[in-house]
């Protein structure tokens, strides 16, 4: 049974972070450690994390890739799971990852990922978002280009370091790490490892959101998520 460190990158997330931390309290397979990487926040992000009991790592280099890398460097367990500061892993999240990482015949697995859906929206929109994202992931897998998202992925810490860690790009760093890990071993989709994520990504409307993800599929690595 592997131990997991959960790494959460955060910049000015004092409003959303408490909900994410409470979701981690409800895990059926509790994390061995929780690391919140504070990317030069100007609000109480670090104080909120410390009050909850998380380890806070400071990253003063602006950007999501160095922030995630700082969390990976600070982790000490065999496996690292990542989510975002505005996302809510379901109670079975780490338990399902644990089963997928340690089950019989899974010794070659180096990375895992699961489904996502929007929260804070109507039930039909939530269901539709999960179906659409599942279709998106399936299309990527069929094309031989698995799309691992930092809001819902787990990986062997040793394999991640062997792969070179997160590449120094403005965006797409999670997908690129996932593909590098896929060259070292098996990457598996875990259907029960659900994460709900904030619908604030839709604040600009559906078309800009879908356009950003079309860029994602094309391999665009510029900061199109507001970095």
């Amino acid at each position: 049974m592997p131990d997991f460190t959960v790494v959460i990158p955060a910049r000015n997330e004092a409003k959303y972070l408490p909900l994410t931390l409470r979701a981690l309290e409800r895990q059926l397979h509790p994390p061995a450690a929780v690391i919140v990487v504070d990317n030069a926040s100007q609000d109480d992000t670090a104080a909120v994390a410390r009050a909850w009991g998380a380890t806070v790592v400071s990253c003063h280099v602006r950007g999501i890739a160095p922030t995630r890398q700082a969390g990976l460097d600070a982790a000490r367990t065999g496996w690292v799971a990542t989510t975002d500061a505005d996302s809510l892993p379901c109670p079975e999240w780490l338990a399902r990852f644990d089963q997928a990482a340690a089950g019989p015949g899974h010794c070659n697995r180096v990375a895992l990922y699961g489904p996502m859906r929007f929260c804070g929206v109507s039930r039909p929109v939530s269901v539709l978002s999960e179906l659409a994202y599942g279709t998106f992931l399936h299309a990527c897998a069929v094309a031989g280009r698995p799309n691992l998202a930092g809001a819902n992925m787990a990986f062997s810490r040793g394999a991640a370091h062997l792969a070179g860690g997160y590449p120094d790009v403005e965006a797409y760093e999670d997908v690129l790490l996932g593909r590098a890990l896929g060259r070292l071993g098996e990457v598996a989709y875990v259907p029960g490892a659900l994460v709900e994520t904030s619908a604030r990504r839709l604040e600009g409307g559906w078309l800009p959101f879908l356009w950003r993800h079309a860029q994602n599929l094309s391999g665009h690595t510029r900061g199109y998520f507001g970095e």
Side-chain angles (χ1 to χ4, degrees), residues 62-169:
R62 179 76 183 273
I64 188 61
T67 304
R68 292 195 193 280
Q69 185 63 41
L72 171 57
D73 291 340
R76 294 294 178 265
T77 54
W79 279 73
V80 174
T82 69
T83 192
D84 288 340
D86 63 350
S87 298
L88 308 175
C90 71
E92 298 82 14
W93 183 57
L94 288 181
R96 295 298 179 91
F97 277 160
D98 173 64
Q99 293 167 2
H106 298 168
C107 61
N108 193 43
R109 286 188 172 173
V110 295
L112 309 165
Y113 64 115
M116 289 195 290
R117 69 185 178 207
F118 285 128
C119 58
V121 293
S122 68
R123 177 67 178 170
V125 172
S126 179
V127 171
L128 179 61
S129 68
E130 185 174 359
L131 289 173
Y133 187 65
T135 301
F136 169 75
L137 292 180
H138 180 70
C140 291
V142 168
R145 298 168 63 86
N147 195 285
L148 280 66
N152 188 7
M153 62 187 287
F155 48 81
S156 159
R157 181 171 64 91
H161 283 298
L162 189 61
Y166 290 96
D168 187 17
V169 292

Side-chain angles (χ1 to χ4, degrees), residues 35-50:
I35 296 174
V36 174
V37 186
D38 177 24
N39 191 206
S41 296
Q42 298 177 334
D43 65 1
D44 292 331
T45 292
V48 167
R50 290 192 183 96

